[in-house]
Amino acid sequence: MTKSYHVAVVGATGAVGTQMIQLLEDVTFPIKEVSFLSSARSAGKKLTFRGEEVVIKEATPDSFAGVDIALFSAGGSISERFAKDAVAHGAIVIDNTSAFRMHPDVPLVVPEVNPEALRDHKGIIANPNCSTIQMVAALQPIRAAYGLNRIIVSTYQAVSGSGIQAIEELQTQSQAILSGEEFTPAVMPVKGDKKHFQIAFNALPQIDVFTDNDYTYEEMKMVNETKKIMSDASMKVAATCVRIPVITGHSESVYIEVEQDNVKVSEIQELLRNAPGVVLEDDTANQVYPHAASSAGKKEVFVGRVRHDLDDSKGFHMWIVSDNLLKGAAWNSIQIAESLIEQEII
Amino acid sequence: MTKSYHVAVVGATGAVGTQMIQLLEDVTFPIKEVSFLSSARSAGKKLTFRGEEVVIKEATPDSFAGVDIALFSAGGSISERFAKDAVAHGAIVIDNTSAFRMHPDVPLVVPEVNPEALRDHKGIIANPNCSTIQMVAALQPIRAAYGLNRIIVSTYQAVSGSGIQAIEELQTQSQAILSGEEFTPAVMPVKGDKKHFQIAFNALPQIDVFTDNDYTYEEMKMVNETKKIMSDASMKVAATCVRIPVITGHSESVYIEVEQDNVKVSEIQELLRNAPGVVLEDDTANQVYPHAASSAGKKEVFVGRVRHDLDDSKGFHMWIVSDNLLKGAAWNSIQIAESLIEQEII
């Protein structure tokens, strides 16, 4: 008998939770029941799932009775509060927040890169940061073939990574500027930080708050998570993370240095053309390259502008784009659930 | 007797020409006469300069009789057509287009970096590309103190670098998207190229057309102009140039490697704090960093987010922002004129 699963989504009304629920409609594994959970504020709202009405309930420690897979995306504090309850009830938690990502007992997984790490789970599995996921998914085939010594990345990140309030702020602020009206920034770059700046028609070099080393947490997530996912603490990784006025779709300007000599651009392009979850869009003669607007709503990671560094024979530049709510969050979480089932871990 | 100058502006109605005329109002050197020149289409329009009405005239070879300084910013083909006429009439041409920048007989000048190059002029002086100017102005003090081996830059460039049509497209397209209306991209990324893509709420990794090596002309301008301005053909320079939905103000994520060992971030910050034309805005604890919206309308180059690379002791990252129409174009041209006069070259 094929096993059927009870799946919970915590943060069901958020930007990522909404996407998770849509993606669950079409998963390949059998679903016997869903629980859509939220804060008390959103509880009672109704959603339609596979043609049936589902009432959103307030998340409590007992919400996870009978749940097999619990997808969390309601902020780190909610994950810290309820993940252990879910695990105690026998669920496997797939957590989209940064709460557990660097915990040594928690696998941090991008299924195209390190699905084997799922076997070591102790109840909680972490979904990496959006900007990390798309980068490692694109770089993994290159690393597997030629080795990878160094990554320098500058990001062009969409506001939806900061949630629905950030999307609303970008829209209302853009309209205010176009109409010549006053506005007061209140959400970006970081809702909980001291100062807020204009995001419409601007670029802000701050995502998440600053750490003691003058990098932001977002930048250090890219550094530390990349090393963990790729199991290579010695890899050189540096990041500059920048918020730009895009609603959905993160773009990344990535420089890499491979280990092997004499690698050709055409070889890297061929690897990416055949890599799982990656789409090569790279034909400069015909202006073919990915961009946020062309990638939003799609599950894959798109790569273009692959070219040799002009000075370093082992250096290459490329442009990596993906939907930050899908592959960067909801879709990667769903893929982790599918991989757990395919590997018969659950 | 103090000399007084006849100054011509070619491209008087363009995005940069308009800024040049505004800046000429306040220059320190005496102006005895101005000639504002344009295409036949804009000829006859009237501008006010220092309280007097000036009629814009169509540029012809004879427009430059008696002109001492001719500021060109009407596109490369206009410069190619008329610059020699201006020189033949005895004017010094300061050209803001890319027409003559890499010509060995043409000084390419950022006055904070290489004012001495002006002495070798043969009638034409080139103003560098906007994205190059702000970068070399910020890096020059670091290079002078510690040497500079390598630059890797990813840009976040405003649409006004593509002229008034690009600004209008960003505005009307943004409004269409906010209103849920259809739109057809027609200008960006490059008006004269085959395809056009959405620029509102998007990021396009193409500025200018592509060259044979899969870099764009804009990227190769940054590479070649930086080497020429800094008189160092062996410096490693790589660029990824990206257009984002900002009206005015280019931002740059810049990685550098210095030659000297044991350079401290605080030393670089101190250099930048005291550098001519540069303003250090760098205090992460108080969310102080430059951004396009805070820099637009100002003449200086703003630098923040200075931090050590996490792996390479000679590596540093920083964020460089400037108004692309001012220091990136009109103001640098005016500064060249001022420097010619200060150095008694004219």
Side-chain angles (χ1 to χ4, degrees):
Chain A
M1 196 186 98
T2 307
K3 195 173 169 188
S4 192
Y5 300 89
H6 180 170
V7 181
V9 176
V10 184
T13 59
V16 174
T18 305
Q19 298 282 346
M20 285 175 166
I21 291 167
Q22 278 187 28
L23 292 167
L24 280 173
E25 295 253 358
D26 300 319
V27 287
T28 51
F29 57 83
I31 295 177
K32 65 180 179 193
E33 189 175 347
V34 290
S35 296
F36 296 155
L37 307 171
S38 73
S39 63
R41 193 163 43 85
S42 296
K45 287 187 185 169
K46 290 166 189 170
L47 292 175
T48 302
F49 182 75
R50 292 187 172 176
E52 290 184 24
E53 194 176 87
V54 182
V55 179
I56 297 176
K57 293 179 191 157
E58 183 182 352
T60 70
D62 293 331
S63 302
F64 302 94
V67 169
D68 299 297
I69 299 170
L71 302 165
F72 276 71
S73 189
S77 61
I78 300 296
S79 295
E80 279 166 7
R81 192 162 149 203
F82 292 119
K84 280 167 197 162
D85 297 317
V87 173
H89 278 291
I92 293 185
V93 168
I94 302 172
D95 181 36
N96 189 48
T97 77
S98 62
F100 307 111
R101 284 180 193 151
M102 295 311 296
H103 194 292
D105 281 347
V106 174
L108 183 68
V109 176
V110 177
E112 291 90 345
V113 181
N114 62 337
E116 69 285 350
L118 292 173
R119 293 188 206 120
D120 302 325
H121 87 85
K122 293 180 172 56
I124 300 175
I125 293 152
N127 197 66
N129 188 47
C130 47
S131 51
T132 310
I133 292 174
Q134 67 184 65
M135 186 174 78
V136 298
L139 296 185
Q140 171 63 14
I142 301 168
R143 175 172 168 260
Y146 308 119
L148 194 56
N149 284 329
R150 183 167 207 185
I151 303 170
I152 297 175
V153 54
S154 294
T155 71
Y156 302 68
Q157 293 183 233
V159 299
S160 56
S162 288
I164 287 169
Q165 282 187 311
I167 297 172
E168 288 171 353
E169 176 164 88
L170 172 57
Q171 290 171 326
T172 57
Q173 206 175 81
S174 299
Q175 187 60 68
I177 291 172
L178 290 170
S179 306
E181 291 161 8
E182 297 286 311
F183 61 91
T184 305
V187 178
M188 301 307 288
V190 180
K191 188 160 193 307
D193 211 343
K194 297 179 288 290
K195 295 181 190 167
H196 299 103
F197 303 116
Q198 173 185 334
I199 181 61
F201 305 106
N202 201 13
L204 295 173
Q206 182 191 355
I207 300 183
D208 210 332
V209 296
F210 284 98
T211 70
D212 289 342
N213 69 357
D214 286 331
Y215 286 74
T216 60
Y217 272 93
E218 183 83 357
E219 289 161 353
M220 293 312 298
K221 284 176 201 167
M222 290 198 80
V223 171
N224 295 323
E225 294 180 16
T226 297
K227 293 181 182 194
K228 179 169 177 174
I229 297 164
M230 291 192 157
S231 302
D232 184 356
S234 70
M235 188 189 291
K236 293 181 179 181
V237 187
T240 300
C241 290
V242 180
R243 194 74 76 182
I244 64 168
V246 167
I247 291 170
T248 302
H250 285 355
S251 305
E252 297 175 344
S253 171
V254 180
Y255 170 74
I256 60 167
E257 285 169 15
V258 298
E259 280 177 20
Q260 195 173 307
D261 279 320
N262 301 318
V263 176
K264 292 177 186 160
V265 167
S266 58
E267 292 171 329
I268 289 181
Q269 288 170 321
E270 188 61 18
L271 279 174
L272 293 171
R273 196 174 281 120
N274 298 311
V278 175
V279 177
L280 183 76
E281 294 185 339
D282 194 8
D283 175 8
T284 57
N286 292 300
Q287 285 179 274
V288 174
Y289 42 73
H291 49 90
S294 70
S295 308
K298 298 176 185 168
K299 292 172 184 167
E300 295 86 357
V301 174
F302 299 85
V303 186
R305 302 287 333 265
V306 182
R307 60 206 195 277
H308 230 123
D309 187 67
L310 297 168
D311 300 293
D312 188 327
S313 64
K314 294 180 175 180
F316 297 88
H317 301 267
M318 64 193 70
W319 179 250
I320 301 173
V321 186
S322 193
D323 186 319
N324 53 300
L325 299 180
L326 291 176
K327 182 57 182 169
W331 176 237
N332 197 70
S333 290
I334 300 289
Q335 282 182 303
I336 289 172
E338 290 186 340
S339 186
L340 285 168
I341 291 163
E342 277 166 26
Q343 295 188 66
E344 298 181 347
I345 294 168
I346 188 169
Chain B
M1 195 186 100
T2 307
K3 196 173 168 187
S4 192
Y5 300 89
H6 180 172
V7 181
V9 175
V10 184
T13 60
V16 173
T18 305
Q19 299 282 346
M20 285 174 167
I21 291 168
Q22 277 187 27
L23 292 166
L24 279 173
E25 295 252 0
D26 300 318
V27 288
T28 51
F29 56 83
I31 294 177
K32 65 179 177 193
E33 188 176 347
V34 290
S35 296
F36 297 155
L37 306 170
S38 73
S39 63
R41 191 164 44 85
S42 295
K45 287 186 185 170
K46 289 166 188 169
L47 291 174
T48 302
F49 181 76
R50 292 186 173 177
E52 291 183 24
E53 194 175 86
V54 181
V55 179
I56 297 176
K57 294 180 191 156
E58 183 182 353
T60 69
D62 293 331
S63 303
F64 302 94
V67 169
D68 299 297
I69 299 170
L71 301 165
F72 275 71
S73 189
S77 60
I78 300 296
S79 295
E80 281 166 6
R81 193 161 149 206
F82 293 117
K84 281 167 197 165
D85 297 319
V87 174
H89 278 291
I92 292 185
V93 168
I94 302 171
D95 182 33
N96 189 48
T97 77
S98 61
F100 307 109
R101 284 179 193 151
M102 296 310 297
H103 194 291
D105 281 347
V106 174
L108 183 67
V109 175
V110 177
E112 292 88 344
V113 181
N114 62 338
E116 69 285 351
L118 292 173
R119 290 187 209 124
D120 302 325
H121 86 87
K122 294 179 173 53
I124 301 176
I125 294 152
N127 197 65
N129 188 47
C130 46
S131 51
T132 310
I133 291 174
Q134 67 184 66
M135 185 172 80
V136 298
L139 296 185
Q140 170 63 13
I142 302 168
R143 174 171 169 261
Y146 308 120
L148 195 55
N149 285 327
R150 183 166 205 184
I151 304 170
I152 298 175
V153 54
S154 295
T155 71
Y156 302 68
Q157 292 183 235
V159 298
S160 56
S162 288
I164 286 169
Q165 282 186 309
I167 298 172
E168 288 171 355
E169 176 164 89
L170 172 58
Q171 289 172 328
T172 57
Q173 205 174 82
S174 298
Q175 188 60 67
I177 290 172
L178 291 169
S179 306
E181 291 161 9
E182 297 285 313
F183 61 92
T184 304
V187 178
M188 302 305 288
V190 180
K191 190 161 191 309
D193 212 344
K194 297 179 290 289
K195 295 181 189 169
H196 299 103
F197 303 116
Q198 173 185 333
I199 182 61
F201 304 108
N202 201 13
L204 294 174
Q206 182 191 355
I207 300 184
D208 210 330
V209 295
F210 284 97
T211 70
D212 288 342
N213 69 358
D214 286 331
Y215 286 73
T216 60
Y217 271 94
E218 183 83 358
E219 289 160 356
M220 293 311 299
K221 284 176 203 167
M222 290 195 80
V223 171
N224 294 326
E225 294 181 17
T226 298
K227 293 180 183 196
K228 179 169 177 175
I229 297 163
M230 291 190 156
S231 303
D232 184 356
S234 70
M235 189 189 291
K236 295 180 177 181
V237 187
T240 300
C241 291
V242 181
R243 194 74 75 183
I244 64 168
V246 166
I247 291 170
T248 301
H250 286 354
S251 304
E252 297 175 345
S253 171
V254 179
Y255 170 74
I256 60 166
E257 285 169 17
V258 300
E259 280 177 22
Q260 193 173 309
D261 279 321
N262 302 317
V263 176
K264 292 178 186 161
V265 167
S266 59
E267 292 170 327
I268 289 181
Q269 289 169 321
E270 188 62 17
L271 278 175
L272 293 172
R273 195 174 284 120
N274 298 312
V278 175
V279 177
L280 182 75
E281 294 186 338
D282 193 8
D283 175 7
T284 59
N286 292 301
Q287 286 179 272
V288 173
Y289 42 74
H291 49 90
S294 71
S295 308
K298 298 176 184 167
K299 292 174 185 166
E300 295 87 359
V301 174
F302 299 85
V303 186
R305 300 289 331 268
V306 182
R307 59 208 196 276
H308 230 123
D309 188 66
L310 297 167
D311 300 293
D312 187 327
S313 65
K314 294 179 177 179
F316 296 87
H317 302 267
M318 64 193 70
W319 179 249
I320 301 173
V321 185
S322 194
D323 186 318
N324 53 300
L325 299 181
L326 290 176
K327 182 56 182 168
W331 176 236
N332 197 71
S333 291
I334 300 289
Q335 282 181 304
I336 289 172
E338 291 185 339
S339 186
L340 284 169
I341 292 162
E342 278 166 28
Q343 295 187 66
E344 299 182 346
I345 295 169
I346 188 170

